[in-house]
mmCIF file of all heavy atoms in Angstrom:
data_model
loop_
_atom_site.group_PDB
_atom_site.id
_atom_site.type_symbol
_atom_site.label_atom_id
_atom_site.label_comp_id
_atom_site.label_asym_id
_atom_site.label_seq_id
_atom_site.Cartn_x
_atom_site.Cartn_y
_atom_site.Cartn_z
ATOM 1 N N TYR A 14 95.414 98.561 102.061
ATOM 2 C CA TYR A 14 95.842 97.496 101.171
ATOM 3 C C TYR A 14 97.299 97.724 100.780
ATOM 4 O O TYR A 14 97.715 98.867 100.576
ATOM 5 C CB TYR A 14 94.963 97.448 99.920
ATOM 6 C CG TYR A 14 93.501 97.331 100.260
ATOM 7 C CD1 TYR A 14 92.685 98.456 100.351
ATOM 8 C CD2 TYR A 14 92.925 96.088 100.512
ATOM 9 C CE1 TYR A 14 91.343 98.348 100.694
ATOM 10 C CE2 TYR A 14 91.594 95.970 100.845
ATOM 11 C CZ TYR A 14 90.803 97.116 100.929
ATOM 12 O OH TYR A 14 89.483 96.989 101.272
ATOM 13 N N LYS A 15 98.042 96.649 100.689
ATOM 14 C CA LYS A 15 99.451 96.739 100.328
ATOM 15 C C LYS A 15 99.567 96.556 98.819
ATOM 16 O O LYS A 15 99.032 95.601 98.253
ATOM 17 C CB LYS A 15 100.269 95.679 101.051
ATOM 18 C CG LYS A 15 101.756 95.811 100.851
ATOM 19 C CD LYS A 15 102.484 94.791 101.720
ATOM 20 C CE LYS A 15 103.980 94.989 101.665
ATOM 21 N NZ LYS A 15 104.657 94.014 102.539
ATOM 22 N N TYR A 16 100.279 97.484 98.170
ATOM 23 C CA TYR A 16 100.485 97.432 96.727
ATOM 24 C C TYR A 16 101.970 97.548 96.453
ATOM 25 O O TYR A 16 102.766 97.907 97.318
ATOM 26 C CB TYR A 16 99.733 98.569 96.034
ATOM 27 C CG TYR A 16 98.247 98.485 96.178
ATOM 28 C CD1 TYR A 16 97.561 99.334 97.055
ATOM 29 C CD2 TYR A 16 97.510 97.555 95.466
ATOM 30 C CE1 TYR A 16 96.196 99.250 97.200
ATOM 31 C CE2 TYR A 16 96.131 97.473 95.611
ATOM 32 C CZ TYR A 16 95.480 98.325 96.473
ATOM 33 O OH TYR A 16 94.131 98.232 96.625
ATOM 34 N N TYR A 17 102.320 97.293 95.202
ATOM 35 C CA TYR A 17 103.703 97.393 94.763
ATOM 36 C C TYR A 17 103.740 98.212 93.488
ATOM 37 O O TYR A 17 102.828 98.148 92.670
ATOM 38 C CB TYR A 17 104.284 95.993 94.496
ATOM 39 C CG TYR A 17 104.247 95.106 95.721
ATOM 40 C CD1 TYR A 17 103.145 94.283 95.969
ATOM 41 C CD2 TYR A 17 105.292 95.108 96.622
ATOM 42 C CE1 TYR A 17 103.101 93.477 97.096
ATOM 43 C CE2 TYR A 17 105.259 94.304 97.757
ATOM 44 C CZ TYR A 17 104.168 93.495 97.989
ATOM 45 O OH TYR A 17 104.123 92.706 99.107
ATOM 46 N N LYS A 18 104.811 98.982 93.351
ATOM 47 C CA LYS A 18 104.984 99.714 92.094
ATOM 48 C C LYS A 18 106.449 99.663 91.695
ATOM 49 O O LYS A 18 107.341 99.506 92.531
ATOM 50 C CB LYS A 18 104.483 101.154 92.201
ATOM 51 C CG LYS A 18 105.256 102.056 93.133
ATOM 52 C CD LYS A 18 104.648 103.446 93.155
ATOM 53 C CE LYS A 18 105.341 104.338 94.184
ATOM 54 N NZ LYS A 18 104.739 105.661 94.214
ATOM 55 N N SER A 19 106.678 99.801 90.411
ATOM 56 C CA SER A 19 108.021 99.772 89.862
ATOM 57 C C SER A 19 108.479 101.208 89.652
ATOM 58 O O SER A 19 107.740 102.033 89.103
ATOM 59 C CB SER A 19 108.005 99.011 88.533
ATOM 60 O OG SER A 19 109.306 99.014 87.974
ATOM 61 N N ILE A 20 109.689 101.508 90.100
ATOM 62 C CA ILE A 20 110.235 102.849 89.887
ATOM 63 C C ILE A 20 111.605 102.720 89.227
ATOM 64 O O ILE A 20 112.314 101.733 89.417
ATOM 65 C CB ILE A 20 110.351 103.665 91.197
ATOM 66 C CG1 ILE A 20 111.293 102.979 92.187
ATOM 67 C CG2 ILE A 20 108.986 103.888 91.815
ATOM 68 C CD1 ILE A 20 111.677 103.874 93.360
ATOM 69 N N GLU A 21 111.946 103.726 88.449
ATOM 70 C CA GLU A 21 113.270 103.736 87.798
ATOM 71 C C GLU A 21 114.270 104.367 88.745
ATOM 72 O O GLU A 21 114.009 105.413 89.333
ATOM 73 C CB GLU A 21 113.211 104.504 86.492
ATOM 74 C CG GLU A 21 114.511 104.464 85.732
ATOM 75 C CD GLU A 21 114.439 105.140 84.375
ATOM 76 O OE1 GLU A 21 113.387 105.717 84.038
ATOM 77 O OE2 GLU A 21 115.448 105.093 83.662
ATOM 78 N N VAL A 22 115.419 103.740 88.862
ATOM 79 C CA VAL A 22 116.483 104.258 89.726
ATOM 80 C C VAL A 22 117.187 105.393 88.977
ATOM 81 O O VAL A 22 117.676 105.200 87.863
ATOM 82 C CB VAL A 22 117.493 103.147 90.091
ATOM 83 C CG1 VAL A 22 118.627 103.711 90.927
ATOM 84 C CG2 VAL A 22 116.798 102.002 90.807
ATOM 85 N N ALA A 23 117.205 106.571 89.573
ATOM 86 C CA ALA A 23 117.853 107.732 88.979
ATOM 87 C C ALA A 23 119.313 107.787 89.412
ATOM 88 O O ALA A 23 119.718 107.145 90.383
ATOM 89 C CB ALA A 23 117.130 109.001 89.399
ATOM 90 N N LYS A 24 120.091 108.570 88.686
ATOM 91 C CA LYS A 24 121.506 108.725 89.020
ATOM 92 C C LYS A 24 121.612 109.336 90.424
ATOM 93 O O LYS A 24 120.927 110.297 90.750
ATOM 94 C CB LYS A 24 122.193 109.631 87.997
ATOM 95 C CG LYS A 24 123.675 109.749 88.207
ATOM 96 C CD LYS A 24 124.328 110.565 87.119
ATOM 97 C CE LYS A 24 125.826 110.623 87.415
ATOM 98 N NZ LYS A 24 126.522 111.427 86.433
ATOM 99 N N GLY A 25 122.428 108.750 91.266
ATOM 100 C CA GLY A 25 122.625 109.235 92.630
ATOM 101 C C GLY A 25 121.679 108.604 93.646
ATOM 102 O O GLY A 25 121.826 108.822 94.845
ATOM 103 N N ASP A 26 120.692 107.838 93.193
ATOM 104 C CA ASP A 26 119.761 107.178 94.112
ATOM 105 C C ASP A 26 120.453 106.020 94.833
ATOM 106 O O ASP A 26 121.296 105.319 94.259
ATOM 107 C CB ASP A 26 118.547 106.613 93.367
ATOM 108 C CG ASP A 26 117.476 107.644 93.106
ATOM 109 O OD1 ASP A 26 117.558 108.737 93.689
ATOM 110 O OD2 ASP A 26 116.558 107.337 92.323
ATOM 111 N N THR A 27 120.091 105.834 96.082
ATOM 112 C CA THR A 27 120.497 104.667 96.844
ATOM 113 C C THR A 27 119.226 104.027 97.392
ATOM 114 O O THR A 27 118.158 104.654 97.407
ATOM 115 C CB THR A 27 121.431 105.044 98.016
ATOM 116 O OG1 THR A 27 120.685 105.817 98.955
ATOM 117 C CG2 THR A 27 122.656 105.802 97.538
ATOM 118 N N LEU A 28 119.350 102.796 97.860
ATOM 119 C CA LEU A 28 118.181 102.164 98.481
ATOM 120 C C LEU A 28 117.686 102.990 99.650
ATOM 121 O O LEU A 28 116.482 103.122 99.883
ATOM 122 C CB LEU A 28 118.512 100.740 98.940
ATOM 123 C CG LEU A 28 118.488 99.652 97.891
ATOM 124 C CD1 LEU A 28 118.847 98.315 98.508
ATOM 125 C CD2 LEU A 28 117.133 99.571 97.228
ATOM 126 N N TRP A 29 118.612 103.559 100.383
ATOM 127 C CA TRP A 29 118.247 104.343 101.570
ATOM 128 C C TRP A 29 117.545 105.651 101.190
ATOM 129 O O TRP A 29 116.583 106.045 101.842
ATOM 130 C CB TRP A 29 119.477 104.592 102.433
ATOM 131 C CG TRP A 29 119.911 103.339 103.100
ATOM 132 C CD1 TRP A 29 120.757 102.389 102.588
ATOM 133 C CD2 TRP A 29 119.445 102.831 104.347
ATOM 134 N NE1 TRP A 29 120.875 101.338 103.457
ATOM 135 C CE2 TRP A 29 120.076 101.578 104.549
ATOM 136 C CE3 TRP A 29 118.587 103.303 105.319
ATOM 137 C CZ2 TRP A 29 119.864 100.804 105.679
ATOM 138 C CZ3 TRP A 29 118.378 102.534 106.451
ATOM 139 C CH2 TRP A 29 119.002 101.299 106.630
ATOM 140 N N SER A 30 117.995 106.320 100.130
ATOM 141 C CA SER A 30 117.324 107.578 99.724
ATOM 142 C C SER A 30 115.930 107.288 99.176
ATOM 143 O O SER A 30 114.977 108.027 99.444
ATOM 144 C CB SER A 30 118.166 108.335 98.698
ATOM 145 O OG SER A 30 118.258 107.625 97.464
ATOM 146 N N ILE A 31 115.813 106.185 98.433
ATOM 147 C CA ILE A 31 114.491 105.785 97.923
ATOM 148 C C ILE A 31 113.576 105.437 99.092
ATOM 149 O O ILE A 31 112.409 105.833 99.136
ATOM 150 C CB ILE A 31 114.620 104.612 96.929
ATOM 151 C CG1 ILE A 31 115.317 105.091 95.652
ATOM 152 C CG2 ILE A 31 113.251 104.018 96.613
ATOM 153 C CD1 ILE A 31 115.691 103.981 94.692
ATOM 154 N N ALA A 32 114.112 104.697 100.045
ATOM 155 C CA ALA A 32 113.311 104.293 101.218
ATOM 156 C C ALA A 32 112.859 105.517 102.008
ATOM 157 O O ALA A 32 111.708 105.579 102.453
ATOM 158 C CB ALA A 32 114.129 103.363 102.098
ATOM 159 N N GLN A 33 113.737 106.494 102.195
ATOM 160 C CA GLN A 33 113.363 107.700 102.945
ATOM 161 C C GLN A 33 112.237 108.454 102.250
ATOM 162 O O GLN A 33 111.392 109.064 102.897
ATOM 163 C CB GLN A 33 114.568 108.607 103.136
ATOM 164 C CG GLN A 33 115.540 108.079 104.158
ATOM 165 C CD GLN A 33 116.808 108.905 104.258
ATOM 166 O OE1 GLN A 33 117.137 109.677 103.357
ATOM 167 N NE2 GLN A 33 117.522 108.752 105.358
ATOM 168 N N ASN A 34 112.199 108.389 100.913
ATOM 169 C CA ASN A 34 111.154 109.092 100.156
ATOM 170 C C ASN A 34 109.826 108.331 100.132
ATOM 171 O O ASN A 34 108.775 108.934 99.899
ATOM 172 C CB ASN A 34 111.603 109.342 98.725
ATOM 173 C CG ASN A 34 112.721 110.354 98.644
ATOM 174 O OD1 ASN A 34 112.833 111.229 99.507
ATOM 175 N ND2 ASN A 34 113.555 110.243 97.628
ATOM 176 N N HIS A 35 109.867 107.019 100.355
ATOM 177 C CA HIS A 35 108.652 106.214 100.205
ATOM 178 C C HIS A 35 108.186 105.477 101.455
ATOM 179 O O HIS A 35 107.104 104.918 101.456
ATOM 180 C CB HIS A 35 108.849 105.194 99.079
ATOM 181 C CG HIS A 35 109.010 105.826 97.741
ATOM 182 N ND1 HIS A 35 110.234 106.182 97.228
ATOM 183 C CD2 HIS A 35 108.103 106.199 96.813
ATOM 184 C CE1 HIS A 35 110.075 106.725 96.038
ATOM 185 N NE2 HIS A 35 108.783 106.751 95.761
ATOM 186 N N VAL A 36 108.982 105.452 102.510
ATOM 187 C CA VAL A 36 108.614 104.689 103.703
ATOM 188 C C VAL A 36 107.402 105.323 104.389
ATOM 189 O O VAL A 36 107.245 106.544 104.399
ATOM 190 C CB VAL A 36 109.812 104.571 104.688
ATOM 191 C CG1 VAL A 36 110.137 105.908 105.319
ATOM 192 C CG2 VAL A 36 109.517 103.531 105.771
ATOM 193 N N ASP A 37 106.549 104.496 104.906
ATOM 194 C CA ASP A 37 105.381 104.947 105.672
ATOM 195 C C ASP A 37 105.550 104.415 107.088
ATOM 196 O O ASP A 37 105.420 103.214 107.317
ATOM 197 C CB ASP A 37 104.098 104.412 105.032
ATOM 198 C CG ASP A 37 102.850 104.984 105.656
ATOM 199 O OD1 ASP A 37 102.938 105.570 106.758
ATOM 200 O OD2 ASP A 37 101.766 104.832 105.060
ATOM 201 N N GLU A 38 105.863 105.303 108.035
ATOM 202 C CA GLU A 38 106.152 104.895 109.419
ATOM 203 C C GLU A 38 104.982 104.194 110.095
ATOM 204 O O GLU A 38 105.142 103.561 111.114
ATOM 205 C CB GLU A 38 106.596 106.095 110.270
ATOM 206 C CG GLU A 38 108.037 106.514 110.035
ATOM 207 C CD GLU A 38 108.187 107.478 108.877
ATOM 208 O OE1 GLU A 38 107.184 108.119 108.488
ATOM 209 O OE2 GLU A 38 109.300 107.575 108.348
ATOM 210 N N LYS A 39 103.813 104.318 109.512
ATOM 211 C CA LYS A 39 102.644 103.655 110.074
ATOM 212 C C LYS A 39 102.753 102.133 109.903
ATOM 213 O O LYS A 39 102.192 101.377 110.676
ATOM 214 C CB LYS A 39 101.391 104.188 109.382
ATOM 215 C CG LYS A 39 100.096 103.745 109.981
ATOM 216 C CD LYS A 39 98.930 104.456 109.297
ATOM 217 C CE LYS A 39 97.605 104.001 109.833
ATOM 218 N NZ LYS A 39 96.481 104.627 109.146
ATOM 219 N N TYR A 40 103.485 101.691 108.869
ATOM 220 C CA TYR A 40 103.562 100.269 108.551
ATOM 221 C C TYR A 40 104.956 99.680 108.712
ATOM 222 O O TYR A 40 105.123 98.472 108.706
ATOM 223 C CB TYR A 40 103.058 100.018 107.126
ATOM 224 C CG TYR A 40 101.652 100.510 106.953
ATOM 225 C CD1 TYR A 40 101.384 101.718 106.330
ATOM 226 C CD2 TYR A 40 100.586 99.781 107.469
ATOM 227 C CE1 TYR A 40 100.088 102.176 106.193
ATOM 228 C CE2 TYR A 40 99.286 100.240 107.340
ATOM 229 C CZ TYR A 40 99.039 101.441 106.708
ATOM 230 O OH TYR A 40 97.774 101.893 106.584
ATOM 231 N N PHE A 41 105.962 100.529 108.818
ATOM 232 C CA PHE A 41 107.334 100.070 108.997
ATOM 233 C C PHE A 41 107.930 100.753 110.218
ATOM 234 O O PHE A 41 107.733 101.950 110.421
ATOM 235 C CB PHE A 41 108.181 100.388 107.751
ATOM 236 C CG PHE A 41 107.719 99.675 106.523
ATOM 237 C CD1 PHE A 41 106.862 100.284 105.621
ATOM 238 C CD2 PHE A 41 108.149 98.381 106.264
ATOM 239 C CE1 PHE A 41 106.435 99.614 104.486
ATOM 240 C CE2 PHE A 41 107.719 97.701 105.133
ATOM 241 C CZ PHE A 41 106.864 98.320 104.247
ATOM 242 N N LYS A 42 108.660 99.994 111.025
ATOM 243 C CA LYS A 42 109.239 100.548 112.257
ATOM 244 C C LYS A 42 110.256 101.649 111.952
ATOM 245 O O LYS A 42 110.334 102.643 112.649
ATOM 246 C CB LYS A 42 109.921 99.439 113.060
ATOM 247 C CG LYS A 42 108.985 98.423 113.621
ATOM 248 C CD LYS A 42 109.746 97.340 114.360
ATOM 249 C CE LYS A 42 108.808 96.223 114.747
ATOM 250 N NZ LYS A 42 109.520 95.073 115.274
ATOM 251 N N ASN A 43 111.037 101.430 110.889
ATOM 252 C CA ASN A 43 112.066 102.409 110.517
ATOM 253 C C ASN A 43 112.436 102.220 109.052
ATOM 254 O O ASN A 43 111.964 101.306 108.382
ATOM 255 C CB ASN A 43 113.299 102.254 111.431
ATOM 256 C CG ASN A 43 113.814 100.834 111.454
ATOM 257 O OD1 ASN A 43 113.931 100.180 110.428
ATOM 258 N ND2 ASN A 43 114.125 100.352 112.655
ATOM 259 N N THR A 44 113.337 103.072 108.572
ATOM 260 C CA THR A 44 113.753 103.019 107.174
ATOM 261 C C THR A 44 114.496 101.726 106.878
ATOM 262 O O THR A 44 114.351 101.156 105.786
ATOM 263 C CB THR A 44 114.639 104.238 106.848
ATOM 264 O OG1 THR A 44 113.944 105.429 107.233
ATOM 265 C CG2 THR A 44 114.953 104.323 105.374
ATOM 266 N N GLY A 45 115.276 101.224 107.838
ATOM 267 C CA GLY A 45 116.010 99.982 107.642
ATOM 268 C C GLY A 45 115.091 98.801 107.365
ATOM 269 O O GLY A 45 115.410 97.935 106.536
ATOM 270 N N GLU A 46 113.965 98.748 108.035
ATOM 271 C CA GLU A 46 113.001 97.676 107.794
ATOM 272 C C GLU A 46 112.433 97.766 106.384
ATOM 273 O O GLU A 46 112.248 96.757 105.704
ATOM 274 C CB GLU A 46 111.874 97.777 108.829
ATOM 275 C CG GLU A 46 110.911 96.613 108.797
ATOM 276 C CD GLU A 46 109.847 96.716 109.878
ATOM 277 O OE1 GLU A 46 110.185 96.518 111.058
ATOM 278 O OE2 GLU A 46 108.687 97.018 109.526
ATOM 279 N N TYR A 47 112.185 98.996 105.928
ATOM 280 C CA TYR A 47 111.681 99.199 104.566
ATOM 281 C C TYR A 47 112.734 98.775 103.543
ATOM 282 O O TYR A 47 112.415 98.095 102.572
ATOM 283 C CB TYR A 47 111.291 100.669 104.372
ATOM 284 C CG TYR A 47 110.584 100.950 103.068
ATOM 285 C CD1 TYR A 47 109.231 100.706 102.925
ATOM 286 C CD2 TYR A 47 111.277 101.472 101.973
ATOM 287 C CE1 TYR A 47 108.572 100.969 101.726
ATOM 288 C CE2 TYR A 47 110.632 101.735 100.777
ATOM 289 C CZ TYR A 47 109.283 101.480 100.656
ATOM 290 O OH TYR A 47 108.638 101.734 99.472
ATOM 291 N N VAL A 48 113.997 99.166 103.759
ATOM 292 C CA VAL A 48 115.095 98.778 102.863
ATOM 293 C C VAL A 48 115.202 97.255 102.799
ATOM 294 O O VAL A 48 115.352 96.676 101.718
ATOM 295 C CB VAL A 48 116.439 99.409 103.309
ATOM 296 C CG1 VAL A 48 117.607 98.781 102.569
ATOM 297 C CG2 VAL A 48 116.417 100.906 103.098
ATOM 298 N N ALA A 49 115.096 96.585 103.940
ATOM 299 C CA ALA A 49 115.173 95.124 103.977
ATOM 300 C C ALA A 49 114.054 94.510 103.138
ATOM 301 O O ALA A 49 114.280 93.525 102.402
ATOM 302 C CB ALA A 49 115.106 94.628 105.413
ATOM 303 N N GLU A 50 112.852 95.055 103.213
ATOM 304 C CA GLU A 50 111.751 94.513 102.415
ATOM 305 C C GLU A 50 111.971 94.760 100.928
ATOM 306 O O GLU A 50 111.709 93.882 100.105
ATOM 307 C CB GLU A 50 110.404 95.098 102.853
ATOM 308 C CG GLU A 50 109.272 94.493 102.053
ATOM 309 C CD GLU A 50 107.902 94.637 102.678
ATOM 310 O OE1 GLU A 50 107.800 95.056 103.833
ATOM 311 O OE2 GLU A 50 106.933 94.308 101.984
ATOM 312 N N VAL A 51 112.463 95.944 100.565
ATOM 313 C CA VAL A 51 112.736 96.242 99.153
ATOM 314 C C VAL A 51 113.802 95.285 98.616
ATOM 315 O O VAL A 51 113.686 94.761 97.507
ATOM 316 C CB VAL A 51 113.167 97.722 98.974
ATOM 317 C CG1 VAL A 51 113.673 97.983 97.565
ATOM 318 C CG2 VAL A 51 112.003 98.655 99.293
ATOM 319 N N LYS A 52 114.831 95.028 99.425
ATOM 320 C CA LYS A 52 115.881 94.088 99.005
ATOM 321 C C LYS A 52 115.298 92.693 98.810
ATOM 322 O O LYS A 52 115.625 91.994 97.834
ATOM 323 C CB LYS A 52 117.008 94.065 100.036
ATOM 324 C CG LYS A 52 117.894 95.293 99.975
ATOM 325 C CD LYS A 52 118.905 95.355 101.109
ATOM 326 C CE LYS A 52 119.931 94.258 101.054
ATOM 327 N NZ LYS A 52 120.985 94.423 102.074
ATOM 328 N N LYS A 53 114.434 92.264 99.701
ATOM 329 C CA LYS A 53 113.818 90.935 99.609
ATOM 330 C C LYS A 53 112.941 90.826 98.364
ATOM 331 O O LYS A 53 113.005 89.834 97.630
ATOM 332 C CB LYS A 53 113.003 90.667 100.867
ATOM 333 C CG LYS A 53 112.354 89.319 100.910
ATOM 334 C CD LYS A 53 111.570 89.125 102.193
ATOM 335 C CE LYS A 53 110.796 87.829 102.162
ATOM 336 N NZ LYS A 53 109.930 87.694 103.343
ATOM 337 N N ILE A 54 112.106 91.854 98.140
ATOM 338 C CA ILE A 54 111.193 91.840 96.991
ATOM 339 C C ILE A 54 111.978 91.745 95.674
ATOM 340 O O ILE A 54 111.596 91.038 94.752
ATOM 341 C CB ILE A 54 110.313 93.110 96.979
ATOM 342 C CG1 ILE A 54 109.350 93.102 98.147
ATOM 343 C CG2 ILE A 54 109.566 93.249 95.667
ATOM 344 C CD1 ILE A 54 108.655 94.435 98.371
ATOM 345 N N ASN A 55 113.111 92.473 95.606
ATOM 346 C CA ASN A 55 113.880 92.555 94.381
ATOM 347 C C ASN A 55 115.028 91.547 94.327
ATOM 348 O O ASN A 55 115.850 91.585 93.400
ATOM 349 C CB ASN A 55 114.424 93.979 94.201
ATOM 350 C CG ASN A 55 113.299 94.961 93.933
ATOM 351 O OD1 ASN A 55 112.786 95.024 92.825
ATOM 352 N ND2 ASN A 55 112.886 95.694 94.954
ATOM 353 N N SER A 56 115.115 90.679 95.330
ATOM 354 C CA SER A 56 116.178 89.660 95.411
ATOM 355 C C SER A 56 117.565 90.292 95.322
ATOM 356 O O SER A 56 118.438 89.832 94.580
ATOM 357 C CB SER A 56 116.023 88.607 94.312
ATOM 358 O OG SER A 56 114.766 87.980 94.422
ATOM 359 N N LEU A 57 117.767 91.351 96.075
ATOM 360 C CA LEU A 57 119.066 92.027 96.087
ATOM 361 C C LEU A 57 119.914 91.488 97.240
ATOM 362 O O LEU A 57 119.448 91.409 98.375
ATOM 363 C CB LEU A 57 118.880 93.550 96.257
ATOM 364 C CG LEU A 57 118.111 94.275 95.166
ATOM 365 C CD1 LEU A 57 117.886 95.737 95.543
ATOM 366 C CD2 LEU A 57 118.848 94.185 93.843
ATOM 367 N N ALA A 58 121.142 91.169 96.941
ATOM 368 C CA ALA A 58 122.044 90.667 97.965
ATOM 369 C C ALA A 58 122.734 91.806 98.713
ATOM 370 O O ALA A 58 123.135 91.666 99.862
ATOM 371 C CB ALA A 58 123.088 89.734 97.344
ATOM 372 N N SER A 59 122.864 92.958 98.045
ATOM 373 C CA SER A 59 123.526 94.107 98.678
ATOM 374 C C SER A 59 122.668 95.357 98.469
ATOM 375 O O SER A 59 121.625 95.325 97.824
ATOM 376 C CB SER A 59 124.918 94.321 98.082
ATOM 377 O OG SER A 59 124.806 94.793 96.751
ATOM 378 N N ASP A 60 123.179 96.473 98.993
ATOM 379 C CA ASP A 60 122.457 97.750 98.861
ATOM 380 C C ASP A 60 122.744 98.445 97.527
ATOM 381 O O ASP A 60 122.207 99.515 97.258
ATOM 382 C CB ASP A 60 122.853 98.692 100.009
ATOM 383 C CG ASP A 60 122.273 98.265 101.346
ATOM 384 O OD1 ASP A 60 121.531 97.263 101.378
ATOM 385 O OD2 ASP A 60 122.554 98.940 102.358
ATOM 386 N N ASN A 61 123.597 97.858 96.699
ATOM 387 C CA ASN A 61 123.991 98.495 95.432
ATOM 388 C C ASN A 61 122.867 98.389 94.411
ATOM 389 O O ASN A 61 122.336 97.311 94.151
ATOM 390 C CB ASN A 61 125.256 97.839 94.874
ATOM 391 C CG ASN A 61 126.443 98.020 95.809
ATOM 392 O OD1 ASN A 61 126.513 99.000 96.530
ATOM 393 N ND2 ASN A 61 127.357 97.061 95.787
#
């Protein structure tokens, strides 16, 4: 089952570092695909 959770962004975190810590290769082809989904879910226009 697919779920969503809210996490607080810590100092020094980037979308890519968060994605590397949470991506599951079983469901996402790569980290970039996971970052794209996180951006879409959060309506982010950039990686900032």
